[in-house]
Amino acid sequence: FWNLSMIQSLGLVQFRLIIYLVALIIGGTCSYFLILKYEARGAAIGLFISYTIITASFTAKAFNKLNRLIKQG
């Protein structure tokens, strides 16, 4: 829950938009193909993939930006 506010406070709103679009495309595509075989479980897998992409990207970028700010002093 802390990722979104940290991304915004670090000025990474454009990054947020790009990651959301990428996650939507990848997760939506996975869901589309998995729903045919796994039905509701396929949709859940696609949603999990989207969530994982968003969380991992936000966390990595936030820590990277914070490390750069700390090194700058």
Side-chain angles (χ1 to χ4, degrees):
F1 64 90
W2 58 269
N3 277 333
L4 181 57
S5 58
M6 182 168 290
I7 288 296
Q8 290 175 332
S9 69
L10 292 173
L12 299 170
V13 177
Q14 184 177 5
F15 173 75
R16 174 185 169 205
L17 177 64
I18 292 168
I19 291 301
Y20 276 146
L21 289 174
V22 168
L24 177 70
I25 291 168
I26 293 172
T29 303
C30 290
S31 291
Y32 179 77
F33 290 110
L34 292 174
I35 285 173
L36 298 174
K37 184 174 182 180
Y38 297 110
E39 299 170 350
R41 287 175 291 181
I45 292 169
L47 183 61
F48 179 73
I49 290 169
S50 293
Y51 173 78
T52 303
I53 291 170
I54 292 168
T55 303
S57 299
F58 283 4
T59 303
K61 188 69 171 181
F63 280 120
N64 188 14
K65 178 87 178 211
L66 287 173
N67 283 334
R68 274 191 274 136
L69 290 173
I70 289 170
K71 287 180 184 177
Q72 288 177 355

